[in-house]
Amino acid sequence: NCPALQIGKRLAGYEMTSANDEPPRDPSSWVVEGQTGSKAQKPLHRVVDAKWNSRHESKMFWIGGDDIESTFMKFRIQFNGVRNICSANSIQLSGLNLFFTEP
């Protein structure tokens, strides 16, 4: 469990990269959340039915609307599904990058 940031950050977007092996393990749905202090998580971005077409493929996702103006001390990604739940025993990515803007 990582400690909270010392100053709030604005999440502008993020990049996910598929792993090298089993496509069924690719995440297909998730929610990116931000938290300020001890308050509840605030959903910032939802994805449903995402699909990667190849291994090591990177996809960019941008945060839009009023949430781009909000600053948060913690961020969390809650994965809710994989490409094929019947044959996947886990979820796998080869990369995750977060992109911030100045508060």
Side-chain angles (χ1 to χ4, degrees):
N1 193 10
C2 294
L5 300 168
Q6 296 301 311
I7 60 169
K9 296 278 189 180
R10 289 182 182 160
L11 183 64
Y14 57 99
E15 175 186 47
M16 287 187 183
T17 304
S18 63
N20 66 341
D21 62 352
E22 297 293 321
R25 296 181 188 171
D26 290 347
S28 63
S29 63
W30 61 86
V31 179
V32 177
E33 300 170 323
Q35 181 180 359
T36 57
S38 61
K39 294 182 182 177
Q41 301 284 339
K42 179 181 180 185
L44 303 176
H45 191 243
R46 288 183 197 281
V47 175
V48 177
D49 293 328
K51 291 182 178 67
W52 275 261
N53 297 314
S54 62
R55 305 298 81 216
H56 296 289
E57 178 183 358
S58 294
K59 291 185 175 284
M60 288 291 308
F61 301 92
W62 298 104
I63 307 298
D66 295 335
D67 294 322
I68 191 68
E69 299 301 321
S70 300
T71 60
F72 298 94
M73 302 302 283
K74 292 182 179 182
F75 296 92
R76 174 173 77 172
I77 300 177
Q78 178 178 313
F79 292 98
N80 299 316
V82 293
R83 184 173 182 172
N84 186 337
I85 191 69
C86 295
S87 62
N89 61 1
S90 60
I91 192 168
Q92 189 173 10
L93 291 169
S94 68
L96 173 65
N97 295 304
L98 304 178
F99 300 99
F100 298 102
T101 60
E102 293 297 320

